[in-house]
Every structure is written in C-alpha cells, then in structure tokens.
Amino acid sequence: MATGVVPGVRDTGRQVFPLAALQRLQARPAADLTVLGAAEVAVLRSDAPVRVEEPGRGWIGFGTGLDEAQLLAALSGWWRCDPARVAAGGVLPVTVGGFVVAVLTGLDEWEDDGTVGTAGRYRFTEARLAGYLADLTSPVNAADPADPQDALLAGLLLGTRLRSVSGGPIAYVPTRTADRPAATTSTADQPAATEGE
C-alpha cells in the first residue's frame, strides 16, 4: 500500500483494496527465470521508500512517487551482498510483496563502503533502470530504456511473481529447478546475460 503500486487502495482506519485489483494480482504469472541463462539471479527485496541523508541519494526503497533518478539511486545500493554473484546474474529484479516492480541492469561495476568482511555493503555504480511499474495491476514499463536488451528483460520480468527468501534485502534465486528446467531457446533468442556462457 505504501509503495503506491496498487491503484485505488484506501486507508480508512483499515486497508481497503479494490476487488478487481486483487483479482488481477492473483492472476499474475510467475517469473520465467530460465531464459536468463545464469544459474541464479539476485533479487532485491524492497520496501516502501524511506527518506535517508546519504551522499548520492535521498531515498531508499521503491515507491511510485519517486522519479526515475530517485528510484535508480534508491535501488542501486548500498546492499550487503556478494557483488560478483549479483553481477553474474546480469539483472537485478526488485520485488515488493513478491511481485517484480523494477528491473536493474548494468551491474558489472561496483564499489564497497570500505568495511571489511561480511558486513561490507556495495553499490552498483553503472546500474541502469531497465524498467519499473507505476501500476502493478496493469504492468506496463514506465521507463523508456534506450537499450533493447534492457527493454526485453523488463518486459519478461515486470509484474511477475518472484518468490525469494532472505534474512536481508538481497536474496539469491536459482533460475532452474525441477519444475523450471533450462529454456530450450537458441542463444540468439535469449537476453544478453546468456552470451558467452
């Protein structure tokens, strides 16, 4: 409710969701991760936007009230994670309540906060906002990515269900499981993340 991603929600002492919106959310398909080509993909599990006083960003989290620059800054770091593992997936879906609401690409470069060990946090310095939603019930990419590969990845993921489990904001999800074998498309049909593998 606080992200603004479901239209028509009212707070009148209790949360009131329109029935049609709930029915559309219930019908959203699961993300097909098999087309990504990597063995796993990192997922950023986001919450509603919160104001922060940090260099380079004024917000952390996802919300439809943020513009594209604010969203990119809010979602591209500082996360406790394995940055090489995040980059290996080629894409970082951002979820709210188990639904993909934004997609980041351009994850090949990062910087750390200088903390040694597992407490270190990382920011992806060349991250791009490939897409984001203003309305989860009618998932249309609100961004206009210049890179066709970014547009393709956003189109595949935005609005889908993507379950993940983690004690922190970054989770790692296998792209192939017993019920999700590897896709049988040719390399030419797959996103750029698969090239060279």
Side-chain angles (χ1 to χ4, degrees), residues 104-128:
L104 296 179
T105 58
L107 307 168
D108 293 329
E109 295 183 28
W110 58 83
E111 65 181 343
D112 63 53
D113 67 354
T115 306
V116 177
T118 57
R121 297 176 187 270
Y122 298 87
R123 180 174 75 94
F124 295 89
T125 56
E126 300 299 319
R128 297 184 304 273

Side-chain angles (χ1 to χ4, degrees), residues 26-114:
Q26 185 178 27
R28 298 304 312 148
D32 180 6
L33 302 179
T34 62
V35 300
L36 298 180
E40 70 178 0
V41 65
V43 176
L44 173 57
R45 300 154 40 91
S46 186
D47 207 343
V50 175
R51 196 73 141 123
V52 293
E53 298 296 328
E54 296 178 2
R57 69 176 176 179
W59 297 92
I60 187 171
F62 178 87
T64 59
L66 302 180
D67 64 32
E68 286 189 33
Q70 291 170 322
L71 273 176
L72 179 59
L75 300 174
S76 58
W78 296 91
W79 310 119
R80 188 170 289 134
C81 64
D82 177 342
R85 197 172 170 191
V86 173
V91 62
L92 182 63
V94 178
T95 61
V96 168
F99 293 94
V100 179
V101 295
V103 176
L104 296 179
T105 58
L107 307 168
D108 293 329
E109 295 183 28
W110 58 83
E111 65 181 343
D112 63 53
D113 67 354

Side-chain angles (χ1 to χ4, degrees), residues 104-177:
L104 296 179
T105 58
L107 307 168
D108 293 329
E109 295 183 28
W110 58 83
E111 65 181 343
D112 63 53
D113 67 354
T115 306
V116 177
T118 57
R121 297 176 187 270
Y122 298 87
R123 180 174 75 94
F124 295 89
T125 56
E126 300 299 319
R128 297 184 304 273
L129 188 60
Y132 69 97
L133 297 178
D135 179 349
L136 183 56
T137 63
S138 298
V140 174
N141 192 349
D144 186 18
D147 185 321
Q149 203 63 33
D150 284 359
L152 175 64
L153 286 168
L156 289 171
L157 295 170
L158 284 174
T160 61
R161 294 173 181 265
L162 182 50
R163 292 187 55 207
S164 61
V165 178
S166 175
I170 297 287
Y172 300 95
V173 177
T175 60
R176 296 172 190 88
T177 61

Side-chain angles (χ1 to χ4, degrees), residues 1-12 14-19 21-22 25 137:
M1 180 175 154
T3 64
V5 80
V6 179
V9 176
R10 296 188 323 267
D11 187 1
T12 58
R14 59 188 178 135
Q15 297 176 355
V16 181
F17 286 78
L19 177 60
L22 291 176
L25 291 179
T137 63

